[in-house]
Amino acid sequence: MSRTGPTSSAKALEAILPLIAAGQPYEAHQKARTFTARYTKAGAHAVAIDVLFQSARELLKAGNAGSGTDLAVLLLDSYERAGEPVSDASRGRVTQLIALVGSSGAWRKTVIDKSIAWSAKQGSYPAGDPALQHYVGELFFKEGDLDGAEPHLLAAGTRDSARLLAQVYFDWVKASRSLESHAGIFALRGVLSHLLNGNILAARTFLDAFISHLPLSGETLSIGNTGDEIRITRDSVLNFAQLAVRTVQRAAGSQNKTAREAWVRLCGTYQSRGGVLARPEVRVVLNELATLYFEIPPPRGANVNPFGDIMSSLFGGAPGAGAVSAPPRTITPGAGRAQLALD
């Protein structure tokens, strides 16, 4: 070993991997931790990372979820210490281990949570790396865990994630046998969540994909001379969701007075008809969007946390302890993880 520290993981892996193959996972696990501590102390973070990754991978392949998860967590700790940036290589190690952990127990959740926290700290997205979030959301979706897939696809905020979220919601509403009565509510859920995250493109992509799954027979309506159009349906909530996205697309803060007035008229018209859109919880969300996109001041006493009691009575979920003051939100795609609960 040179004074600058080891440059290869070969020696460690020659001592560790045969133990796993021989059915001695405990000994292999302990050797991996010992070698890693030595390499980390010497500042050889890249070598430590390789030892941890390969050791964790082989332990997980051999069915040793506990030991493999422990090394996976140590790998992410090494990422943190080394300031390892989010890249195809660093993300790829993590996704391989997530796939190998399996869905039983809490092992996988531990790795997922820590990997997202690392990617948020070392990457450019406060809600976590979009590719990593999409991977996790798709993994849950393929397993039929629609509830588990939702927050990760919302946090990813990419066009692919928005399309997959549309499929998740369509499968969800079909499974609940409430397609006719709840399609609009699911559409609203996806649209408002993406718009609260400042992600207009994802909101539009999600809604277009969701509508494409629905057995609709309504006419289309052109939006002025923009060349854009919406599908007019018997579901007023679905109609509102389409018009809301189009209106927000034209927003320019307080500069576009036409768009501001259109938003006020849109909300007022649909809320005057009662139903879901007139509920206090939905009004709070729409007021939040009015401030975020059109710089319309919120009504007095409306400065509450949009992720506490908001939508709880409409979509289900435990309400918060009460109104909490919230800082002003800004439009930063991928900056948050708005999720509107629906049971």
Side-chain angles (χ1 to χ4, degrees), residues 49 53 79 84-96 118:
I49 286 171
F53 168 64
Y79 274 9
E84 184 75 14
V86 179
S87 65
D88 289 344
S90 60
R91 184 195 307 111
R93 297 186 195 102
V94 172
T95 55
Q96 282 190 59
W118 155 73

Side-chain angles (χ1 to χ4, degrees), residues 53-266:
F53 168 64
Q54 294 203 49
S55 299
R57 182 181 61 188
E58 296 309 310
L59 282 167
L60 290 171
K61 284 182 179 179
N64 299 284
S67 296
T69 298
D70 180 68
L71 296 188
V73 170
L74 286 179
L75 168 70
L76 289 161
D77 287 340
S78 293
Y79 274 9
E80 292 277 1
R81 280 191 293 268
E84 184 75 14
V86 179
S87 65
D88 289 344
S90 60
R91 184 195 307 111
R93 297 186 195 102
V94 172
T95 55
Q96 282 190 59
L97 298 182
I98 290 173
L100 289 169
V101 170
S103 59
S104 61
W107 302 118
R108 186 169 66 179
K109 184 179 186 304
T110 299
V111 179
I112 288 172
D113 290 349
K114 195 167 183 67
S115 65
I116 290 173
W118 155 73
S119 73
K121 182 176 181 180
Q122 299 298 332
S124 304
Y125 300 87
D129 176 61
L132 179 59
Q133 291 279 20
H134 180 89
Y135 173 83
V136 174
E138 186 174 31
L139 181 65
F140 282 125
F141 171 70
K142 289 179 177 178
E143 293 176 351
D145 185 355
L146 305 182
D147 193 43
E150 180 189 29
H152 297 288
L153 295 175
L154 283 171
T158 65
R159 297 180 72 177
D160 286 343
S161 296
R163 293 187 189 99
L164 184 55
L165 182 66
Q167 183 67 59
V168 167
Y169 282 174
F170 181 66
D171 289 356
W172 198 337
V173 75
K174 276 200 311 179
S176 63
R177 298 180 180 180
S178 58
L179 184 61
E180 187 171 342
S181 61
H182 280 68
I185 294 178
F186 273 91
L188 190 67
R189 174 176 182 151
V191 165
L192 296 186
S193 295
H194 281 306
L195 291 181
L196 281 172
N197 281 342
N199 199 331
I200 301 173
L201 178 60
R204 175 67 184 265
T205 303
F206 157 79
L207 189 57
D208 288 348
F210 184 74
I211 289 175
S212 73
H213 292 302
L214 302 178
L216 300 177
S217 58
E219 300 178 354
T220 59
L221 173 68
S222 296
I223 307 296
N225 58 1
T226 64
D228 200 0
E229 60 184 23
I230 67 169
R231 293 287 300 274
I232 300 299
T233 74
R234 291 181 296 176
D235 190 328
S236 63
V237 179
L238 185 56
N239 294 338
F240 172 83
Q242 295 179 78
L243 290 168
V245 171
R246 269 60 170 193
T247 305
V248 168
Q249 282 184 299
R250 298 159 52 202
S254 61
Q255 304 302 311
N256 190 337
K257 293 185 178 180
T258 301
R260 291 181 92 202
E261 293 170 359
W263 177 261
V264 173
R265 286 197 305 271
L266 175 66

